[in-house]
């Protein structure tokens, strides 16, 4: 695998965050069901990468551009049983791939 310069990786990450902020129609449950990660995951990864400099809430707010509660109130729709089932299958696949 080719190493990616941190500056380039940071720019790509910012572009991903900008895209997810724009695409409020893409629900987290759908992202989880399809790709195995969502906005919450990105925020949590920021928290983990910060070695404690960012709280989990601050990491998520950096991704959402607002608090999670504000985002949910403005953009989140109720998940269907089918969406939840796909998400659960995807989470299980993540665990399997990580050897958990």
């Amino acid at each position: 695998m080719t190493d990616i310069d941190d500056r380039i990786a940071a720019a790509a990450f910012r572009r991903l965050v900008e895209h997810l902020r724009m695409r409020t129609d893409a629900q987290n449950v759908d992202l989880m069901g399809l790709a195995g990660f969502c906005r919450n995951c990105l925020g949590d990864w920021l928290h983990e990468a910060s070695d404690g400099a960012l709280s989990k809430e601050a990491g998520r707010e950096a991704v959402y551009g607002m608090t999670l509660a504000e985002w949910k109130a403005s953009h989140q729709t109720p998940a269907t049983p089918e969406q939840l089932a796909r998400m659960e299958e995807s989470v299980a696949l993540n665990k399997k791939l990580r050897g958990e």
Side-chain angles (χ1 to χ4, degrees):
M1 182 169 92
T2 304
D3 286 340
I4 301 171
D5 180 90
D6 286 348
R7 183 182 53 79
I8 294 168
F13 177 79
R14 287 185 188 97
R15 177 81 183 266
L16 173 61
V17 168
E18 177 185 331
H19 184 77
L20 289 172
R21 286 182 184 177
M22 178 183 67
R23 289 300 306 269
T24 58
D25 61 308
Q27 295 292 301
N28 282 335
V29 69
D30 291 323
L31 293 170
M32 283 297 298
L34 179 64
F37 81 100
C38 68
R39 292 170 183 87
N40 290 337
C41 297
L42 288 176
D44 294 352
W45 297 340
L46 278 173
H47 159 68
E48 292 167 10
S50 78
D51 292 324
L54 285 175
S55 68
K56 186 179 279 193
E57 293 76 21
R60 289 181 177 190
E61 191 170 328
V63 171
Y64 284 102
M66 61 185 75
T67 67
L68 180 55
E70 290 170 318
W71 195 90
K72 284 182 176 184
S74 298
H75 304 293
Q76 187 165 310
T77 59
T80 66
E82 293 81 13
Q83 287 172 310
L84 293 172
R86 279 192 302 273
M87 182 184 75
E88 289 174 12
E89 290 173 11
S90 186
V91 168
L93 179 58
N94 282 352
K95 289 180 180 180
K96 179 180 177 186
L97 293 171
R98 284 193 301 262
E100 295 177 12

